[in-house]
Amino acid sequence: IERWFRLEWMEHTPPFYSSVDIRNAGFKLAPVDTNLYPGGWNNLTPEMLPLAVQAAQAAIEKICPEARNLLVIPENHSRNTFYLANVAQLVRIFHMAGLNVRVGSIDPAIKSPKKIELPNGDTVCLEPVARSKRRLGLKHFDPCTILLNTDLSAGTPGILEDLHEQYLLPPLHAGWSVRRKSNHFHSYEEVSKRFGKLLGIDPWLINPMYAKAAEVSFATGQGIDVLTSHVDALLTKVRRKYKEYGINEKPFVVVKTDNGSPGLGVMTVRDAKEIEALVRRPRASKAGAAKEGQEPCDLIVQEGVLTNERVHNGVAEPVVYMMDRYVVGGFYRVHAERAPDENLNLPGASFVPLAFSESAHLPQPGAKPGASAPNRFYMYGVIGRLAMVAASYELEATDPDAEVYE
């Protein structure tokens, strides 16, 4: 497995950093979401900090070995102290990697440096960015590298475009204004087939099947028949797989927007008839309307993967954090009010760090399967990295500056 990854990274560039939501059904272990602008760095344990710093050094060295100044550009919601604690942690990681780090806000409301005290004792200083013709920086601070920690789901701000002399990480086409989940899972499917061949396993065991439904509007009913047939077909495929493996669970699919915008939320669907019911329900028109009003949007229908993980009696899913090609840590997202077949990424979720590094239990011969923790963490890291390989394929395919070979 490690050799396979090494060969992949000789041919492809990993995303600068990423986090992957993983679901472990016991019979299936698969990524369900890959984020290329991960927040939540504050949820990692202090023990993981040295790993993150080492990975940050490796990542920076590859891109700009002489880097001295790094500018972090956060999301604009500067009142969210959870989010800002994540920014503070990123600043700490890159500072320990030997860089001068400042935080530059592109929020028009930030007109002068604004110091924010966080509940955990950290402070974050947001400073207004200054744009010259070819560069972006702060007053008296000229960075050679700019790290984006905003997913650009509202579109790409002009201030970030046409920067010719600085490294922008990740590139703009990693943002949701360009990125599509269906592209990502298309790449992931390819990766899982090759990896499955390497291990001699059915790729389905690590790959969530999916379909794409274009131009759907719950408000007007446009595209609903296509969506319903995709849901129906995917449920049938999953049912067939469950039968093949003797799995006694009720198949379900998850419907969400293809471009990562939170407009629709995530719907768990167990029967195609539920889709028709949504159209008739007045509430659905609010949920289905994209942020711009009643615009139809592209949806992805994804095979639902149950989670068999429990932490403190709450349903949990692991989230793996990576920088460059290294797994640097992770945590469990836990939600006491949700079911094993539901989305956990909602208000009310709590985060329990995964003990990746200091876990001393070695596999015990003869112990019951799953009793030895580190194996499971190693597997999470493998699935996370497979999703990262897929993201690198996806970014290559959507790179506007890629050379086209005739």
Side-chain angles (χ1 to χ4, degrees):
I1 289 174
E2 295 308 318
R3 176 174 181 272
W4 187 89
F5 278 119
R6 264 201 308 280
L7 297 177
E8 281 296 316
W9 298 132
M10 283 169 74
E11 305 277 323
H12 305 279
T13 307
F16 185 77
Y17 57 177
S18 52
S19 70
V20 178
D21 294 0
I22 294 173
R23 303 277 283 208
N24 179 1
F27 56 85
K28 178 168 185 142
L29 182 66
V32 291
D33 231 336
T34 301
N35 188 351
L36 299 182
Y37 296 91
W41 289 91
N42 51 313
N43 295 321
L44 304 186
T45 62
E47 291 80 42
M48 293 172 195
L49 199 58
L51 292 174
V53 171
Q54 268 179 321
Q57 283 171 320
I60 290 287
E61 202 172 302
K62 240 193 315 200
I63 293 148
C64 176
E66 68 278 8
R68 172 176 294 157
N69 294 342
L70 175 79
L71 183 65
V72 177
I73 296 195
E75 290 185 7
N76 283 351
H77 46 222
S78 57
R79 285 188 192 81
N80 181 337
T81 54
F82 276 116
Y83 173 71
L84 290 174
N86 145 75
V87 173
Q89 182 73 319
L90 278 172
V91 169
R92 185 178 290 117
I93 290 168
F94 286 99
H95 176 69
M96 289 169 79
L99 294 161
N100 300 323
V101 192
R102 308 259 290 265
V103 182
S105 176
I106 53 175
D107 185 344
I110 304 274
K111 293 189 167 49
S112 58
K114 181 180 176 187
K115 217 169 195 170
I116 300 164
E117 306 276 338
L118 302 178
N120 65 359
D122 281 342
T123 53
V124 171
C125 181
L126 298 175
E127 303 181 66
V129 295
R131 171 76 201 243
S132 67
K133 195 167 178 201
R134 301 171 76 85
R135 295 179 79 86
L136 188 66
L138 306 174
K139 200 175 175 184
H140 311 310
F141 183 78
D142 186 25
C144 74
T145 310
I146 296 165
L147 180 65
L148 292 182
N149 195 240
T150 166
D151 64 11
L152 309 178
S153 49
T156 307
I159 196 165
L160 297 176
E161 290 176 328
D162 304 317
L163 292 171
H164 295 297
E165 300 167 352
Q166 289 163 306
Y167 296 97
L168 191 60
L169 305 169
L172 292 177
H173 65 279
W176 285 122
S177 42
V178 175
R179 224 184 139 212
R180 295 293 174 268
K181 294 183 180 188
S182 52
N183 288 345
H184 177 73
F185 283 102
H186 174 73
S187 297
Y188 183 81
E189 189 173 12
E190 186 188 327
V191 170
S192 68
K193 279 179 185 159
R194 295 200 359 255
F195 188 76
K197 204 169 174 181
L198 171 83
L199 296 189
I201 61 166
D202 176 353
W204 175 76
L205 297 170
I206 55 170
N207 176 39
M209 299 186 284
Y210 77 97
K212 182 180 168 177
E215 300 283 306
V216 178
S217 165
F218 284 98
T220 62
Q222 178 188 336
I224 293 294
D225 45 349
V226 177
L227 176 63
T228 308
S229 66
H230 278 314
V231 167
D232 205 30
L234 198 55
L235 283 169
T236 304
K237 276 186 189 168
V238 178
R239 220 168 274 125
R240 215 172 286 144
K241 278 292 184 188
Y242 279 16
K243 196 174 171 193
E244 180 186 334
Y245 286 99
I247 295 158
N248 296 320
E249 297 286 355
K250 190 169 168 58
F252 67 101
V253 296
V254 169
V255 178
K256 47 193 172 182
T257 48
D258 198 17
N259 68 351
S261 84
L264 175 70
V266 176
M267 294 187 296
T268 300
V269 180
R270 296 169 196 84
D271 187 319
K273 292 193 192 76
E274 293 172 31
I275 297 287
E276 289 147 33
L278 279 172
V279 183
R280 292 192 215 100
R281 263 211 331 256
R283 194 192 67 75
S285 61
K286 277 209 285 289
K291 284 185 272 192
E292 297 76 47
Q294 309 295 335
E295 296 299 310
C297 59
D298 293 351
L299 301 178
I300 179 171
V301 182
Q302 191 179 45
E303 173 189 352
V305 183
L306 291 164
T307 174
N308 256 335
E309 301 270 5
R310 299 290 178 276
V311 175
H312 310 324
N313 296 329
V315 174
E317 63 189 11
V319 185
V320 173
Y321 275 64
M322 291 160 296
M323 197 172 283
D324 195 52
R325 59 201 181 102
Y326 306 101
V327 173
V328 297
F331 53 80
Y332 277 116
R333 182 184 288 126
V334 185
H335 208 304
E337 272 90 68
R338 306 292 283 175
D341 62 354
E342 290 184 307
N343 171 31
L344 306 184
N345 194 2
L346 287 166
S350 58
F351 304 98
V352 178
L354 275 171
F356 268 92
S357 47
E358 77 273 20
S359 186
H361 324 285
L362 289 168
Q364 302 299 322
K368 70 177 198 295
S372 50
N375 288 3
R376 204 164 65 191
F377 296 154
Y378 176 72
M379 281 161 33
Y380 294 161
V382 168
I383 298 294
R385 286 182 292 163
L386 289 174
M388 181 165 51
V389 173
S392 74
Y393 290 13
E394 176 198 355
L395 290 178
E396 283 165 22
T398 53
D399 185 352
D401 302 325
E403 292 166 25
V404 180
Y405 299 107
E406 288 303 328

